[in-house]
Amino acid sequence: MVSTLRDQGFDGKLTLIGAETHPPYERPPLSKGYLRGEESFEDALLRPANWYQESDVELRLGERATRIVPADRIVELEGGDRIPYDKVLIATGGRNRRLLVPGADLPGVFDLRTVEDSDAIKAEARPGRKAAVVGAGFIGCEVAASLRRLGVEVEVVEFFEAPLFRVVGPEIGRLYEGIHRDQGVGFHFGEAVDRFEGVDRVEAITTAQGTRIECDFAVVGVGIQPATDVVEGSEVAVENGILVDEHCRTSVSDVFAAGDVANHVHPLFGRRMRVEHYDNALKQGAAAARNMMGTPTVFDDPHWFWSDQFDVNLQYMGYATEWDELVVRGSLEDRNFVGFYVKDGLVDAVVGMNRGRDVRRSAGLIRSRKPVDSAALRDEDVDLKELGKRLAGQGA
């Protein structure tokens, strides 16, 4: 957001407040290349460390914003400072969900949100050791894959019936189960953690179903909760995040929100959604910046994210929580396909395994909001980008 403001010509006072002591950085590498030691932290920085001073951006790092007071146009910091504002963007993201079970605070039980978390897991990840991973969403699966690459034995506990179940559904989830099992990852589906066991540090996990998994360390990845504390007690509306419109505006004048914390009105899908993707945070933050400068910008990005696990690249565009049909082009068996999540004849989302180009060329199908012939989606000879253009040209 701050880079967009400067790039768009804003030359006023600009302050960036962050609880972490580091300049802004990308989080996706923390479960992948950075965790495996293949990428440096400097590679993950959104801007070089010296960019902020050169761009006249005041950094207030290692300082937590505790409250926004819209009536006074003030942001209060944990240390007592009060920062005045004309307009403010809330991009507090989320905090990791914690398991409220015995032993969850034992040494050796980790979660992953910050670079320090990734460093702590990396320090434990040595060949021959054994890790228990709780949760088979994207963080859990990516951590499991990275740990296997580092020679760690891995067993995963997952409440649902397949990895990535809530996002990609059972068919593709089971493909990911096979990919991980091929690399030696063990799974315990339909199970929930009852307790972590150990004396001085974690030694095992016991599930509510009675399964006991011995481990040298554990990593918990069971989702996040939007970090809305900063607006508690104010007039800023909150419901599963901070409510914003299609211009990233909250219910209070001159207060904006973007990223994981923002529950936004999406004009394309005609509904509210809160999206926890890196790409969404970048694009929505940029849209918010333009709106803060008085340039009306509707945020209607169809949303896109990716995941790398072992030698498999998954890309996903759109937003689907339920669907009538998963239409497949290519081969699930060969793990080379693009799948279309179709609801009421419309393509709400597209997923691709090692077919990222097809996913990106499908954006027009999602944007068109027009019924699509399933046969055309399956046909490799039908160009997806051109199909989207034809649908868009059909009119209302």
Side-chain angles (χ1 to χ4, degrees):
M1 186 277 289
V2 294
S3 58
T4 300
L5 287 173
R6 287 297 189 234
D7 291 344
Q8 295 295 312
F10 177 72
D11 60 1
K13 183 173 176 57
L14 190 52
T15 303
L16 179 61
I17 303 164
E20 293 189 56
T21 58
H22 311 285
Y25 59 91
E26 300 177 15
R27 296 191 192 275
L30 301 184
S31 58
K32 298 187 277 288
Y34 182 79
L35 178 57
R36 297 191 298 270
E38 299 165 358
E39 302 173 25
S40 71
F41 179 66
E42 287 69 29
D43 293 334
L45 292 175
L46 288 175
R47 293 279 184 164
N50 61 357
W51 179 88
Y52 299 91
Q53 182 175 358
E54 293 173 355
S55 302
D56 194 24
V57 176
E58 180 186 6
L59 286 179
R60 301 293 296 263
L61 301 179
E63 300 186 67
R64 185 181 302 276
T66 57
R67 190 164 74 112
I68 291 176
V69 187
D72 298 333
R73 293 180 175 268
I74 290 290
V75 178
E76 295 183 350
L77 303 188
E78 196 168 45
D81 284 357
R82 293 163 58 88
I83 311 297
Y85 71 82
D86 294 312
K87 296 184 180 180
V88 61
L89 174 70
I90 303 167
T92 47
R95 62 174 59 86
N96 289 349
R97 294 183 185 275
R98 302 301 174 112
L99 291 177
L100 302 178
V101 300
D105 57 350
L106 280 170
V109 178
F110 303 96
D111 57 9
L112 179 57
R113 187 70 182 169
T114 68
V115 64
E116 288 82 7
D117 296 332
S118 188
D119 286 338
I121 296 169
K122 189 189 307 185
E124 298 279 347
R126 300 188 294 276
R129 305 195 83 206
K130 184 174 181 180
V133 174
V134 182
F138 283 99
I139 291 295
C141 284
E142 289 173 357
V143 168
S146 291
L147 292 177
R148 284 298 297 137
R149 289 292 197 206
L150 294 171
V152 178
E153 295 181 38
V154 179
E155 291 194 54
V156 179
V157 177
E158 169 56 44
F159 178 78
F160 292 103
E161 65 185 66
L164 315 177
F165 178 82
R166 296 180 67 180
V167 178
V168 301
E171 298 96 335
I172 297 174
R174 283 191 283 270
L175 285 182
Y176 267 92
E177 176 187 355
I179 290 166
H180 278 257
R181 288 193 185 277
D182 287 349
Q183 300 292 334
V185 177
F187 285 98
H188 304 270
F189 293 114
E191 300 197 42
V193 173
D194 180 70
R195 62 188 182 275
F196 295 90
E197 300 177 357
V199 180
D200 297 321
R201 60 175 287 130
V202 68
E203 298 171 7
I205 288 177
T206 296
T207 72
Q209 291 69 27
T211 303
R212 188 174 190 273
I213 303 165
E214 295 186 355
C215 59
D216 296 300
F217 64 100
V219 182
V220 178
V222 291
I224 70 169
Q225 295 174 309
T228 60
D229 309 46
V230 72
V231 297
E232 286 185 6
S234 76
E235 296 178 357
V236 175
V238 174
E239 183 181 342
N240 182 30
I242 296 174
L243 299 181
V244 299
D245 64 11
E246 66 273 20
H247 294 94
C248 308
R249 297 175 299 204
T250 72
S251 57
V252 173
S253 178
D254 295 327
V255 179
F256 296 75
D260 293 6
V261 76
N263 184 349
H264 68 283
V265 172
H266 202 300
L268 193 62
F269 296 100
R271 57 171 293 186
R272 282 196 171 277
M273 57 184 66
R274 190 175 62 79
V275 178
E276 300 172 359
H277 306 325
Y278 165 78
D279 187 66
N280 171 71
L282 283 184
K283 292 176 178 175
Q284 194 172 29
R290 292 185 177 93
N291 284 303
M292 293 169 77
M293 289 183 65
T295 304
T297 304
V298 172
F299 181 69
D300 62 354
D301 186 79
H303 300 305
W304 169 83
F305 70 88
W306 79 98
S307 178
D308 293 318
Q309 299 171 41
F310 300 109
D311 58 351
V312 175
N313 171 258
L314 177 139
Q315 295 190 31
Y316 183 107
M317 181 177 291
Y319 190 88
T321 55
E322 57 180 0
W323 49 90
D324 301 322
E325 183 181 15
L326 175 64
V327 180
V328 175
R329 171 183 293 206
S331 171
L332 293 176
E333 183 177 307
D334 294 338
R335 300 173 181 172
N336 188 300
F337 65 89
V338 58
F340 305 88
Y341 296 92
V342 179
K343 176 71 173 175
D344 298 327
L346 308 182
V347 176
D348 283 341
V350 182
V351 65
M353 185 175 286
N354 298 323
R355 298 275 290 258
R357 182 174 182 270
D358 282 340
V359 172
R360 294 187 293 275
R361 292 181 70 82
S362 299
L365 300 176
I366 300 170
R367 285 188 174 278
S368 75
R369 311 317 293 150
K370 301 289 176 55
V372 187
D373 180 10
S374 294
L377 295 178
R378 292 189 182 94
D379 190 346
E380 295 276 13
D381 292 328
V382 175
D383 185 281
L384 294 169
K385 187 173 184 178
E386 293 303 317
L387 178 60
K389 288 180 179 179
R390 290 201 299 272
L391 291 172
Q394 289 178 4

